[in-house]
Amino acid sequence: MTLAIHHVALAARDAAAVMAAQTGGAGFRDVGAHGGARWLAAPNAYLAVVPAGGGAGAETRRVCEPGITH
């Protein structure tokens, strides 16, 4: 049984723009960098922002694949 989602990774071409949008209007807070990603925290999960095309643990996946990618 799944208890919770720990984090979602977002591959972004412009990580600075994503960070600004998420920490501004979406209410995430920047908790630092680790493993090639910038980490943002919300009350119920983390968002890892990784550079498009790479980063630690990054995997190229199409948006239409099953799961959280869509």
Side-chain angles (χ1 to χ4, degrees):
M1 177 169 60
T2 303
L3 298 177
I5 294 175
H6 182 270
H7 76 275
V8 174
L10 176 67
R13 290 183 200 266
D14 186 351
V18 170
M19 295 290 293
Q22 298 303 317
T23 56
F28 282 81
R29 62 185 171 83
D30 186 348
V31 294
H34 179 72
R38 291 293 304 183
W39 288 85
L40 301 172
N44 59 350
Y46 290 92
L47 177 65
V49 180
V50 297
E59 179 181 332
T60 301
R61 298 184 69 191
R62 297 179 334 167
V63 173
C64 61
E65 286 183 23
I68 199 81
T69 59
H70 67 277

